[in-house]
Amino acid sequence: MSEKFVLPQLGFAFDALEAAIDAQTMEIHHGKHHAAYVNNLNTALESAPTFFNHSVEEIMRNINDVPEGIRTAVRNNGGGHANHSLFWQLLKPGGKQAPFGNLEKDLLSVFGSLDNFTDIFSKAAATRFGSGWAWLVLDESKKLQVYSTANQDSPLMQGHTPVLGLDVWEHAYYLRYQNRRPDYVKAFWSVINWNVVNDFYTANK
Ligand code: MN
C-alpha cells in the first residue's frame, strides 16, 4: 500500500522560538516552503510509485536508484523534505542547552573544545555560498564531521547520517536578519534541543 508523503506537524507553536526565529518566518518556512517540497516530491514520484513504500531517508540514501528522469526533482524535494523534517525536531523547545554525555565526549575528542566545534560549524554555515545547509554528521566510519551542502543536498546521499543541521537558505532567516546570516547562525545555538541531537547521535553511532 503506497502512501504519499505528508508534511509533519511542527509540534510546537510558530512563536516558540521567537528568541531566535520569528513566528512569521516559522509559519512560512513550515507551511509554504516545506509543504512545497512534500508536494513536489509526491508529484515527481507519481511516475515511480514504488518509492512511496520507502522512507524519504531511504530514498536519499539510494538516490541513484531513482529513475534518471525524476532524479533531480527527487534529490531537491526529497532532500528538502528530509532536511526540514529533521530541522524542526532539533529546534523543539526545551531540552538540554548544551551537548552532554557521549556526544559531548566525542565532540571534545574530535574538535578539542565545544567552542572550537561551535566555531567550525558556524563558519561552515556562514560561508556556504548561496543556499544550503551546515551539518554535524556521523560519516561512514561513524566519525563526527562538520561540513556544508548546497541547495537541499542531504548528507544521506553520501552515506552519512546528520545529527545536527542548520538551514541557511535566505527563506530561513531573511525577514528578521536580512543579509546578516552570521547573526541568525549565532541565534541558532540558543534554540537547539540537545536532548534530540543526543538521541539522533546515540541511535546512529
Ligand atoms: Mn528551509
Side-chain angles (χ1 to χ4, degrees):
M1 179 67 190
S2 299
E3 297 280 348
K4 291 196 167 191
F5 291 99
V6 295
L7 180 68
Q9 293 285 321
L10 196 52
F12 51 88
F14 293 127
D15 64 357
L17 309 169
E18 191 70 40
I21 305 171
D22 62 281
Q24 191 185 11
T25 294
M26 287 300 297
E27 186 167 6
I28 297 169
H29 199 174
H30 176 261
K32 302 294 184 191
H33 292 278
H34 188 174
Y37 296 125
V38 173
N39 290 336
N40 292 338
L41 175 63
N42 285 331
T43 301
L45 289 177
E46 276 171 9
S47 63
T50 57
F51 285 93
F52 288 121
N53 295 318
H54 299 275
S55 70
V56 69
E57 290 80 12
E58 286 173 334
I59 293 173
M60 298 312 293
R61 275 200 182 90
N62 301 286
I63 190 67
N64 288 326
D65 292 347
V66 174
E68 208 172 342
I70 59 170
R71 194 176 301 153
T72 299
V74 172
R75 176 177 176 171
N76 290 337
N77 295 289
H81 179 34
N83 294 342
H84 289 84
S85 297
L86 175 72
F87 189 49
W88 309 135
Q89 295 180 67
L90 303 169
L91 299 176
K92 202 183 292 177
K96 287 210 166 68
Q97 294 301 295
F100 61 97
N102 281 339
L103 176 58
E104 180 188 17
K105 187 164 70 70
D106 294 345
L107 285 169
L108 291 174
S109 157
V110 173
F111 298 101
S113 70
L114 292 180
D115 281 350
N116 192 46
F117 158 66
T118 304
D119 287 348
I120 289 170
F121 186 102
S122 297
K123 194 171 180 194
T127 58
R128 160 53 55 188
F129 185 77
S131 298
W133 291 74
W135 301 104
L136 173 69
V137 304
L138 276 164
D139 69 14
E140 64 278 8
S141 309
K142 303 282 183 180
K143 201 165 166 359
L144 288 167
Q145 278 194 41
V146 167
Y147 56 78
S148 70
T149 57
N151 304 315
Q152 294 295 351
D153 284 354
S154 164
L156 297 167
M157 290 163 47
Q158 48 182 326
H160 297 176
T161 302
V163 294
L164 179 69
L166 175 58
D167 187 344
V168 296
W169 284 57
E170 283 188 344
H171 69 224
Y173 63 86
Y174 201 83
L175 290 179
R176 179 181 281 182
Y177 296 96
Q178 293 88 46
N179 61 316
R180 304 185 307 279
R181 187 194 289 181
D183 291 352
Y184 159 72
V185 173
K186 193 173 176 194
F188 164 68
W189 296 100
S190 71
V191 290
I192 300 169
N193 187 326
W194 286 99
N195 290 73
V196 176
V197 182
N198 197 67
D199 286 349
F200 283 126
Y201 185 66
T202 304
N204 290 289
K205 196 174 177 308

